[in-house]
Amino acid sequence: MKIVVLTGAGISAESGLGTFRDVDGLWTKYDLNDVATPEGFARDPALVHDFYNARRRNCQESGPNAAHHALARLEKSKAHVLTIVTQNVDDLHERAGSQAVIHMHGQLMRALCAACGARWDAPAVMHPADPCPTCAVPATRPDVVWFGEIPYAMDEISALVAASDLFVAIGTSAEVYPAAGLVEMAQGETLELNLKPSARANSFGARRFGPATEVVPEWVGEMLN
Ligand code: BJW
């Protein structure tokens, strides 16, 4: 079976990484217009770097949980062909051992030059004055996709979802497009795994609710039987 799994912040919540829109989420502490838009970065790059430096440190101090490990086990089993499309900028899928991972909203551990487009591994702490290693212009930013920017690999992702036999969304609120609309492209079975129904729950053929560390290993166990 060809399976595409879309993951969101909820899969990393039990690893200690904050979600965005839950009651204690990041958007209750920060204005997304200040830290997750190109305009916010142009206004105050130091604030935006501070925000991502703190999240990079938090990510480095955390680790994959049972849900990330279960998905890595499913891929490794080769019982099915699994691709993970993640909206998360953390690297917890990779640290669990998953290999087929597409980061549609970029990666916390990568840096991007806004002047020449070069990409490289991000240092632990980034500053507005950091020069690009390729063109030397001090226009370095986290390699993440902000509101108003086009998510990565959309053609590849759309083709994978359209060709999938099963599309599973895990721990995402379905509030942010185009990720939220992917379920509509799926021609095969669809399943939502979440703590509670997302904004698009009714678009899925099946739904299961509970913490990712419980419902994901349970579902993977069934797929491997
Ligand atoms: C658990 C759990 C547990 C908790 N176990 N579950 C009007 C209509 C349609 C679209 C638009 C519109 N106005 C503007 C737009 C476009 C805009 C958009 O969608 N805005 C909406 C707010 C309306 N989108 C964009 O701008 C995107 N670009 C774009 O559209 O380009 C145009 C284009 C696209 C394609 C082709 C051609 C052109 C870009 C969006 C970029 C989003 N960036 C961010 C920041 C990334 C960097 C960073 O991490 O800082 O991405 S915002 C943030 O939201 C982050 C996330 O990836 C994303 C989604 O959040 P997610 O993962 O769903 O988290 P939460 O917190 O929302 O939900 C957590 C879920 O977990 C909940 O459901 C909980 O129940 C659950 N949960 N604990 C299981 N233990």
Side-chain angles (χ1 to χ4, degrees):
M1 204 181 226
K2 282 182 276 187
I3 305 175
V4 175
V5 167
L6 172 71
T7 61
I11 196 168
S12 298
E14 291 162 86
S15 291
L17 304 189
T19 63
F20 297 93
R21 295 171 186 80
D22 291 315
V23 281
D24 54 350
L26 287 167
W27 296 160
T28 64
K29 297 169 193 137
Y30 298 88
D31 184 335
L32 68 84
N33 294 299
D34 289 338
V35 296
T37 62
E39 295 78 15
F41 184 64
R43 262 194 317 271
D44 193 345
L47 173 81
V48 177
H49 276 304
D50 284 350
F51 175 70
Y52 284 97
N53 288 339
R55 287 180 57 201
R56 194 176 297 111
R57 188 172 58 245
N58 191 14
C59 178
Q60 281 164 339
E61 287 168 356
S62 78
N65 64 45
H68 300 101
H69 285 297
L71 292 179
R73 207 158 52 242
L74 182 57
E75 181 186 357
K76 202 170 175 190
S77 75
K78 296 204 167 25
H80 303 282
V81 180
L82 172 68
T83 307
I84 296 174
V85 174
T86 188
Q87 298 168 84
N88 299 343
V89 296
D90 66 55
D91 60 356
L92 299 187
H93 285 302
E94 287 87 348
R95 281 157 63 190
S98 289
Q99 294 189 329
V101 184
I102 301 174
H103 282 270
M104 66 182 292
H105 290 166
Q107 301 180 66
L108 208 43
M109 303 302 169
R110 300 280 290 164
L112 166 67
C113 176
C116 76
R119 289 186 166 83
W120 64 99
D121 286 340
V125 179
M126 293 176 69
H127 305 281
D130 290 343
C132 165
T134 302
C135 72
V137 173
T140 64
R141 51 167 283 184
D143 187 11
V144 301
V145 178
W146 289 321
F147 285 104
E149 298 182 321
I150 298 180
Y152 295 149
M154 281 315 299
D155 289 347
E156 183 186 0
I157 292 168
S158 304
L160 280 164
V161 173
S164 66
D165 301 302
L166 172 60
F167 174 76
V168 185
I170 302 174
T172 176
S173 62
E175 298 279 358
V176 175
Y177 289 81
L182 289 176
V183 61
E184 310 297 346
M185 292 181 192
Q187 316 275 313
E189 293 173 51
T190 54
L191 169 66
E192 173 168 280
L193 302 178
N194 201 314
L195 203 52
K196 57 182 195 299
S198 75
R200 286 263 176 172
N202 290 336
S203 299
F204 289 82
R207 295 160 283 274
R208 295 187 194 181
F209 302 115
T213 56
E214 292 176 17
V215 292
V216 177
E218 190 180 282
W219 169 70
V220 166
E222 290 166 22
M223 295 304 296
L224 291 176
N225 272 335

